[in-house]
């Protein structure tokens, strides 16, 4: 720490930049980087390298090698390139490698050079070939931009939801532009290109010439342009060495710089920290690196080797054959603490801690000075923050010891920030190790999040480290260990050197009943790898039948799926499998399969009752289930609109009931058939539409329409009870108003229902004359009611007094009015009084 500021380089008055080594590269490259096609993923991501890619330099019979390295230069995977001519390499946000070919085909590989999928940029690109390409990131996802041989641009803003856009033509563009870039503004993706001293902006519909605000009139022709990591800033370099820096919207100029070098650079990228006021770009030539900002001064570095720049969120990574470096603006907290002769609270606290370790009284003097200014909380906070931005563990420890020392003199300093920083630094130091090779800064780590970092460790198949980090950070099983184990299991099933039984047992032993583990997903991965038997063994460990069954159906193990569905007791699941079998098997095989599964057969019959009646009939026929067939035909008869159809259906039901030896059902059906035939007669004789009538209603209708003889025949043929028949005929004749026929009917023989109904029917139809005629014929016990019904209260009173019945007398008395029936009421009252005395 004594020479901590030795690699500080000032840019302006208050800003410093540092360049330090991350790794000594392990890849032992023999070629210069300029001879390779290279792409490095952001956030300390992997490096893709294609050697021998140039047609001119390629030796006969030598295939180019596509290699993927970690950021420390350790080889992750390599594969000979057997496809078309590559134009560009790029990385997606999920660290998949995009390989863009000359014919417009984009091939996607994972970190281990395993092919995932491909897509095409369209027929126009195929016909005109690809001159240049760029991979860019926006709010929509990872996109691809293509410049074709006919000097037209095509875009795909999201490769996961491919929608190709052909940009408008640029007037006068006869060759590839000197430089171009993709800008993402307000959720719209546009292309900015330079042609001489003109800038053209291409959106979805138009091509327009733009002039950056504040651009020097003598700037010259554009050579290079760069978009910042956050897509908000743009830098333009001209052939006069003039650098314009402003907003990517081209609405505001931030600063400018005049460079003495006129030759075209290899690369130009932005280098700035989030929320920093300092803006700077890094320009690289073959052996020189220039950092330029708003100041008239610049920082220059001499490059010993051919280098490649990788823009990052808070700096620039510099790759060469021998080393991997990071150039960044020094964070404010580190500047405050380590600046020479600094009197910042953090600097004093660091000195106090050092003197305390030496057992010097100066520690008390430094500490007293901080406390007198009431800056001790700020000093502790500065040390904690600065520790996060340091890469050397010794420097981190020194700063954290100082923060811990200062906390001891504070009563209520919250410890959460200190503890969290210690955790974060342990995580960062573990992944920065050269064997892991992910050189994340603290700022990048916080933007990326621990969840994404764990995903990236899983992608690299660093399962033990990912699990240890989860346990150290005490993440929930569902979010951490279980999820990682599931990824491990999905990778394990792809290993072909072990038997299905060994792999299944190893996975179950490791995973057990861990929370959130889906064996069905692991089995699906095994099936996708062509290991069907392994998938079935893994499904045995899946406790949820709803997850087992769909995959078994996908694997065409329908009978096993049916057994699992029945075991689950989930009828919806059983229905799903049964309907799948119905579509998959021929009719005979399907029925035979159901025969061996009574539960499934029963549920399918229930389904057919509501959805497929004809299929239900076939099922009963196959089982020779005559009783069920009879029931089926009875039910079918209700759907017939014509009598003939109903009779035919019931006759079929009658035959099946006889075969089933169900005499009761057969007789009931036979009676129903007879009834339908009578209804048909009724339809013919009355010339009426078919009515679904009972036998009694049929008789009533016949009488109403004057068919008394036919009604008499039905009465005798179907043995209708005599009392019931008299009621039917009496009510029907009264409805018809045929009182003469009622008189003949009443005298034909003694009425089995008595004569009170005659009185009631006559009164109901307002014929008191007929009612009075039948009242005297009513039996004595009903005579009082009969006389009351016809309104003859005097005879009703005489009958009640004669019967000496208190109830009848009370009934008649209740019908007497005070004015007209006073004499009757008085006579009834005297009779009741005499009856009560006795």
């Amino acid at each position: 720490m004594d020479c901590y500021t030795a690699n500080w380089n000032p840019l302006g008055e208050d800003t410093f930049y540092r360049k330090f080594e991350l790794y000594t590269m392990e890849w032992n490259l023999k070629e210069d980087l300029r001879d390779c096609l290279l792409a490095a993923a952001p956030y300390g991501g992997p490096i893709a390298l294609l050697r021998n890619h140039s047609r001119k330099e390629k030796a006969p019979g030598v295939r180019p090698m596509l290699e993927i390295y970690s950021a420390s230069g350790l080889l992750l995977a390599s594969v000979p390139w057997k496809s078309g001519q590559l134009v560009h390499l790029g990385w997606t946000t999920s660290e998949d490698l995009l390989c863009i070919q000359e014919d417009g085909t984009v091939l996607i590989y994972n970190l281990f050079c395993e092919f995932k999928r491909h897509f095409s940029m369209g027929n126009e690109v195929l016909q005109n070939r690809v001159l240049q390409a760029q991979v860019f990131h926006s709010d929509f996802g990872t996109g691809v931009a293509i410049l074709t041989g006919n000097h037209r641009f095509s875009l795909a803003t999201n490769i996961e939801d491919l929608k190709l856009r052909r940009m408008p033509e640029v007037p006068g563009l006869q060759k590839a532009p000197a430089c171009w870039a993709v800008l993402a503004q307000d959720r719209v993706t546009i292309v900015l290109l330079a042609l001489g001293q003109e800038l053209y902006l291409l959106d979805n519909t138009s091509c327009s010439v733009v002039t950056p605000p504040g651009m020097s009139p003598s700037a010259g022709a554009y050579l290079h342009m760069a978009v910042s990591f956050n897509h908000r800033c743009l830098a333009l370099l001209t052939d006069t060495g003039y650098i314009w820096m402003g907003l990517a919207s081209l609405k505001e100029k931030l600063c400018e710089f005049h460079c003495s070098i006129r030759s075209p650079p290899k690369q130009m990228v932005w280098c700035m920290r989030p929320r920093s006021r300092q803006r700077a770009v890094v320009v690289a030539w073959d052996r020189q690196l220039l950092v330029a900002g708003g100041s008239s001064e610049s920082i220059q570095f001499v490059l010993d080797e051919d280098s490649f720049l990788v823009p990052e969120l808070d700096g620039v990574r510099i790759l060469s054959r021998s080393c991997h470096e990071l150039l960044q603006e020094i964070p404010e907290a580190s500047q405050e603490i380590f600046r020479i002769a600094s009197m910042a609270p953090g600097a004093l606290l660091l000195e106090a801690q050092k003197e305390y370790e030496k057992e010097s009284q100066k520690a008390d003097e430094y500490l007293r000075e901080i406390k007198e200014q009431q800056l001790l909380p700020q000093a502790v906070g500065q040390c904690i923050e600065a520790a996060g931005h340091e890469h050397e563990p010794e420097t981190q420890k020194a700063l954290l010891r100082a923060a811990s020392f200062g906390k001891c003199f504070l009563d209520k300093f919250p410890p959460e920030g200190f503890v969290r920083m210690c955790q974060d630094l342990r995580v960062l130091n573990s992944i920065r190790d050269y064997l892991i090779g992910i050189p994340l800064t603290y700022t990048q780590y916080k933007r990326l999040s621990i969840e994404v970092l764990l995903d990236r460790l899983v992608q690299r198949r660093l399962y033990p480290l990912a699990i240890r980090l989860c346990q150290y950070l005490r993440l929930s099983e569902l979010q951490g260990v279980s999820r990682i184990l599931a990824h491990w299991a999905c990778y394990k099933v792809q290993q072909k050197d072990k038997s299905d039984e060994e792999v299944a047992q190893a996975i179950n032993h490791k995973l057990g009943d861990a929370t959130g583990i889906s064996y069905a997903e692991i089995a699906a991965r095994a099936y996708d790898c062509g290991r069907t038997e392994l998938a079935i063994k893994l499904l045995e460990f899946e406790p949820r039948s709803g997850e087992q069954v769909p995959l078994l159906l996908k694997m065409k193990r329908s009978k096993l799926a049916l057994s699992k569905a029945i075991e689950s007791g989930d009828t919806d699941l059983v229905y799903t499998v049964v309907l799948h079998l119905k579509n998959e098997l021929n009719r005979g095989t399907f029925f035979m399969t159901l025969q061996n599964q009574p539960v499934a057969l029963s549920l399918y019959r229930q389904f057919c009752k509501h959805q497929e009646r004809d299929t239900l009939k076939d099922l009963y026929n196959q089982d020779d289930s005559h009783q069920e067939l009879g029931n089926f035909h009875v039910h079918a008869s209700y759907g017939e609109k014509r009598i003939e159809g109903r009779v035919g259906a019931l006759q079929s039901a009658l035959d099946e009931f006889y075969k089933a030896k169900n005499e009761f059902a057969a007789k009931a059906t036979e009676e129903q058939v007879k009834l339908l035939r009578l209804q048909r007669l009724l339809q013919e004789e009355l010339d009426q539409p078919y009515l679904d009538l009972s036998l009694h209603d049929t008789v009533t209708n016949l009488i109403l329409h004057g068919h008394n003889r036919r009604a008499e025949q039905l009465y005798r043929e179907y043995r209708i009870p005599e009392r019931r028949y008299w009621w039917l005929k009496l009510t029907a004749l009264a409805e018809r108003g045929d009182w003469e026929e009622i008189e003949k009917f009443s005298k034909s023989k003694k009425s089995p229902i008595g004569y009170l109904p005659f009185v009631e029917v006559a009164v109901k139809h307002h014929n008191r004359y007929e009612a009075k005629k039948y009242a005297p014929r009513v039996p004595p016990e009903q005579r009082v009611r009969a006389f009351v019904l016809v309104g003859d209260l005097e005879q009703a009173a005489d009958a009640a007094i004669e019967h000496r019945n208190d109830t009848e007398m009370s009934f008649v008395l209740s019908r007497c009015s005070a004015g007209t029936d006073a004499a009757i009421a008085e006579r009834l009252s005297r009779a009741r009084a005499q009856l009560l005395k006795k």
Side-chain angles (χ1 to χ4, degrees):
M1 289 180 58
D2 295 335
C3 300
Y4 181 84
T5 60
N7 65 345
W8 285 24
N9 297 277
L11 187 68
E13 296 181 0
D14 301 322
T15 307
F16 293 85
Y17 283 78
R18 63 184 175 187
K19 182 167 73 76
F20 58 92
E21 185 176 291
L22 295 172
Y23 303 107
T24 298
M25 296 300 284
E26 301 286 338
W27 52 13
N28 296 321
L29 283 182
K30 297 179 180 179
E31 303 93 336
D32 281 334
L33 294 184
R34 70 168 68 91
D35 298 327
C36 303
L37 199 58
L38 187 146
Y43 292 98
I47 304 165
L49 197 70
L50 186 72
R51 305 190 192 194
N52 303 321
H53 76 289
S54 174
R55 286 196 180 115
K56 296 179 181 178
E57 300 173 3
K58 191 188 302 183
V62 177
R63 289 187 180 276
M65 289 296 295
L66 177 63
E67 300 169 335
I68 297 180
Y69 295 89
S70 70
S72 59
L74 293 177
L75 182 65
L76 298 178
S78 65
V79 62
W81 185 256
K82 299 178 182 179
S83 190
Q85 179 71 17
L86 274 183
V87 176
H88 186 76
L89 296 176
W91 291 93
T92 68
T93 53
S94 57
E95 292 193 336
D96 283 332
L97 179 63
L98 300 182
C99 302
I100 304 173
Q101 295 188 155
E102 194 178 40
D103 61 359
T105 303
V106 181
L107 294 87
I108 304 178
Y109 293 82
N110 68 6
L111 281 169
F112 296 95
C113 291
E114 294 169 349
F115 177 74
K116 296 180 71 173
R117 64 185 180 90
H118 75 281
F119 62 89
S120 172
M121 291 297 291
N123 289 329
E124 182 185 353
V125 176
L126 175 62
Q127 294 170 5
N128 296 288
R129 320 305 282 176
V130 177
L131 286 184
Q132 298 173 7
Q134 289 186 23
V135 175
F136 61 93
H137 306 291
S138 67
D139 294 337
F140 299 103
T142 301
V144 175
I146 298 289
L147 174 63
T148 63
N150 63 346
H151 307 112
R152 296 291 296 271
F153 287 91
S154 293
L155 285 183
T157 54
N158 183 6
I159 63 171
E160 301 301 329
D161 181 20
L162 196 63
K163 295 178 181 177
L164 300 176
R165 276 171 38 205
R166 188 187 186 205
M167 307 302 284
E169 187 175 0
V170 180
L173 184 62
Q174 301 297 326
K175 61 179 181 177
C179 55
W180 59 279
V182 180
L183 307 178
Q185 299 179 357
D186 300 326
R187 298 183 65 83
V188 176
T189 306
I190 57 179
V191 174
L192 181 69
L193 62 99
L195 191 60
Q197 296 183 357
E198 299 290 340
L199 282 179
Y200 293 89
L201 199 62
L202 304 180
D203 57 19
N204 291 339
T205 58
S206 62
C207 172
S208 56
V209 178
V210 292
T211 303
M215 176 64 72
S216 171
S218 59
Y222 296 101
L223 294 179
H224 219 293
M225 62 178 64
V227 182
S228 65
F229 193 85
N230 60 9
H231 311 290
R232 295 176 184 171
C233 299
L234 175 70
L236 301 169
L237 171 66
T238 68
D239 58 3
T240 61
Y242 175 78
I243 301 176
W244 179 93
M245 287 171 271
L247 297 183
S249 60
L250 297 173
K251 294 181 179 179
E252 181 181 344
K253 175 183 174 181
L254 298 175
C255 58
E256 62 181 23
F257 182 82
H258 292 273
C259 172
S260 59
I261 304 176
R262 301 289 188 267
S263 60
K266 288 176 56 182
Q267 283 181 277
M268 181 171 69
V269 297
W270 283 84
C271 179
M272 58 184 187
R273 298 184 61 80
R275 296 183 296 277
S276 173
R277 292 191 296 265
Q278 177 67 39
R279 271 86 174 185
V281 293
V282 180
V283 189
W285 289 268
D286 286 339
R287 289 291 185 266
Q288 188 171 358
L289 202 69
L290 174 73
V291 183
S295 170
S296 59
E297 300 176 354
S298 64
I299 306 171
Q300 297 189 25
F301 298 97
V302 175
L303 300 175
D304 298 328
E305 298 176 306
D306 188 38
S307 300
F308 183 82
L309 305 184
V310 184
E312 289 284 3
L313 173 69
D314 56 345
V316 177
R317 286 194 285 150
I318 305 171
L319 286 168
S320 67
R321 285 195 304 176
S322 60
C323 68
H324 189 169
E325 298 175 298
L326 178 65
L327 172 65
Q328 65 172 179
E329 178 191 343
I330 298 174
E332 184 178 353
S334 297
Q335 288 191 45
E336 290 288 335
I337 292 174
F338 293 108
R339 184 182 296 176
I340 296 174
S342 173
M343 296 299 291
L348 295 176
L349 181 58
L350 181 60
E351 289 300 319
Q353 196 276 332
K354 289 179 182 178
E355 296 300 329
Y356 175 76
E357 288 185 346
K358 297 176 184 177
E359 299 182 357
S360 169
Q361 66 179 6
K362 289 184 179 180
D364 183 64
E365 295 175 6
Y366 287 130
L367 197 60
R368 191 184 302 278
E369 183 176 349
I370 302 171
K371 293 182 71 175
E372 285 176 355
Q373 300 177 43
Q374 297 182 347
L375 295 176
L376 189 54
Q378 181 180 343
V380 174
Q382 275 186 346
C383 288
I384 293 173
E385 183 182 352
H389 296 295
E390 295 303 318
H391 277 251
E392 288 297 327
E394 291 303 320
T395 309
Q396 298 168 1
K397 290 177 184 178
L399 289 165
L400 289 175
R401 279 195 296 266
S404 179
F405 176 70
K407 284 195 306 103
C408 297
F409 301 96
L410 292 172
D411 294 332
K412 297 181 179 180
F413 187 84
E416 293 81 11
F418 180 82
V419 173
R420 192 181 307 112
M421 182 59 74
C422 290
Q423 290 178 333
D424 291 342
L425 285 176
R426 284 194 176 185
V427 171
L428 287 171
N429 289 336
S430 67
I431 65 171
R432 287 170 182 167
D433 185 274
Y434 84 98
L435 291 175
I436 307 300
I438 305 178
L440 277 183
T441 65
Y442 178 74
T443 304
Q444 294 168 12
Y445 170 67
K446 284 303 179 183
R447 176 69 64 87
L448 202 62
S449 79
I450 184 62
E451 291 79 14
V452 177
L453 176 59
L454 290 173
D455 287 341
R456 297 197 169 188
L457 291 175
V458 166
Q459 279 184 300
R460 287 165 171 77
R461 299 169 185 169
L462 300 171
Y463 305 109
L465 175 60
I467 290 174
R468 285 199 297 271
L469 291 182
C470 291
Q471 293 169 341
Y472 173 67
L473 297 174
R474 297 180 181 178
L475 300 178
S476 66
E477 280 196 30
L478 193 63
Q479 182 186 13
V481 175
S482 293
R483 186 168 63 91
I484 294 166
L485 286 174
H487 282 285
W488 168 81
C490 290
Y491 167 66
K492 189 75 174 175
V493 300
Q494 300 175 43
Q495 297 178 343
K496 302 293 180 67
D497 57 333
K498 294 186 179 180
S499 67
D500 295 341
E501 183 66 30
E502 287 178 315
V503 174
Q505 291 301 325
I507 290 174
N508 185 48
H509 176 74
K510 181 73 73 175
L511 270 59
D513 297 325
T515 306
I517 293 292
S518 172
Y519 281 95
E521 291 182 8
I522 303 169
R525 181 63 63 87
Y527 176 69
D528 292 339
C529 295
R531 305 185 70 173
T532 304
E533 293 303 320
L534 174 58
I536 294 174
K537 290 180 184 297
L538 290 170
L539 282 178
E540 293 296 328
F541 304 122
E542 176 59 61
R544 297 167 296 178
S545 299
E547 299 293 329
Q548 290 178 315
V549 170
L551 183 56
L552 287 170
L553 292 176
K554 182 180 177 182
M555 295 190 296
K556 300 189 182 302
R557 299 300 177 97
S558 304
K559 294 181 181 179
L560 182 57
L562 183 58
S563 299
K564 294 291 183 184
I566 292 171
E567 288 175 12
S568 73
D570 187 341
T571 55
D572 289 339
L573 204 56
V574 178
Y575 276 128
T576 300
V577 180
V578 169
L579 294 178
H580 180 86
L581 284 171
K582 179 176 178 290
N583 295 327
E584 184 183 63
L585 305 176
N586 62 58
R587 197 176 186 85
T589 308
F590 172 61
F591 286 165
M592 290 302 297
T593 302
L594 292 185
Q595 288 296 327
N596 300 324
Q597 297 287 356
V599 174
L601 179 59
S602 176
L603 288 172
Y604 184 60
R605 282 175 177 171
Q606 291 295 324
F607 169 79
C608 291
K609 283 180 180 179
H610 296 91
Q611 302 290 336
E612 298 179 3
R613 299 286 303 175
D614 291 339
T615 305
L616 185 63
K617 180 181 176 182
D618 294 338
L619 282 172
Y620 291 148
N621 274 321
Q622 180 170 337
D623 296 343
D624 291 330
S625 180
H626 299 296
Q627 177 65 40
E628 293 296 340
L629 275 171
N631 294 336
F632 173 83
H633 288 303
V634 170
H635 187 277
S637 70
Y638 293 112
E640 296 288 344
K641 296 183 178 180
R642 295 176 58 82
I643 292 181
E644 290 80 359
R646 289 197 64 180
V647 170
L650 289 175
Q651 190 64 53
S652 299
L654 184 61
D655 296 339
E656 296 297 335
F657 286 140
Y658 276 131
K659 291 177 183 177
K661 298 181 181 179
N662 189 337
E663 297 292 335
F664 176 80
K667 287 182 180 180
T669 307
E670 191 173 3
E671 292 295 323
Q672 189 70 15
V673 172
K674 289 181 180 179
L675 178 60
L676 284 171
R677 287 173 176 163
L678 288 172
Q679 290 174 356
R680 185 169 60 188
L681 290 173
L682 176 64
Q683 179 178 343
E684 293 172 354
E685 295 193 14
L686 303 184
D687 193 23
Q688 291 183 346
Y690 163 62
L691 300 172
D692 191 7
L693 301 175
S694 66
L695 179 60
H696 294 165
D697 291 337
T698 303
V699 171
T700 302
N701 271 277
L702 287 170
I703 296 171
L704 279 172
H705 291 82
H707 299 276
N708 297 330
R709 183 174 295 178
R710 171 63 73 184
E712 185 79 19
Q713 288 175 352
L714 294 184
Y715 152 63
R716 298 187 185 282
E717 183 177 352
Y718 286 93
R719 299 175 184 175
I720 298 175
E722 189 177 26
R723 291 175 59 84
R724 182 62 178 163
Y725 177 69
W726 274 68
W727 260 111
L728 292 174
K729 187 168 183 178
L730 174 62
T731 54
L733 290 173
E735 187 72 27
R736 205 171 74 187
D738 194 347
W739 300 104
E740 183 178 349
E741 187 63 31
I742 289 176
E743 177 65 20
K744 292 179 182 178
F745 180 53
S746 67
K747 293 179 179 180
S748 62
K749 60 185 294 187
K750 184 178 180 181
S751 170
I753 59 174
Y755 288 96
L756 181 60
F758 285 78
V759 177
E760 292 174 341
V761 168
V763 171
K764 181 180 177 182
H765 289 81
H766 309 292
N767 194 334
R768 289 189 177 275
Y769 173 77
E770 292 293 332
K772 288 181 179 180
K773 185 166 63 175
Y774 294 111
R777 303 185 196 178
V778 173
E781 63 273 12
Q782 297 177 336
R783 198 164 290 165
V784 172
R785 176 173 175 77
F787 284 130
V788 170
L789 284 173
V790 300
D792 193 344
L793 294 180
E794 187 171 353
Q795 290 197 56
D798 291 343
I801 293 170
E802 182 181 350
H803 295 160
R804 297 184 179 183
N805 189 314
D806 180 62
T807 302
E808 291 181 347
M809 286 188 280
S810 298
F811 175 64
V812 178
L813 190 59
S814 66
R815 298 304 180 96
C816 295
S817 60
T820 58
D821 303 317
I824 297 172
E826 184 179 353
R827 189 152 63 90
L828 285 169
S829 298
R830 286 199 305 270
R832 287 189 67 200
Q834 290 177 2
L835 184 62
L836 291 174
K837 285 179 182 180
K838 295 181 179 181

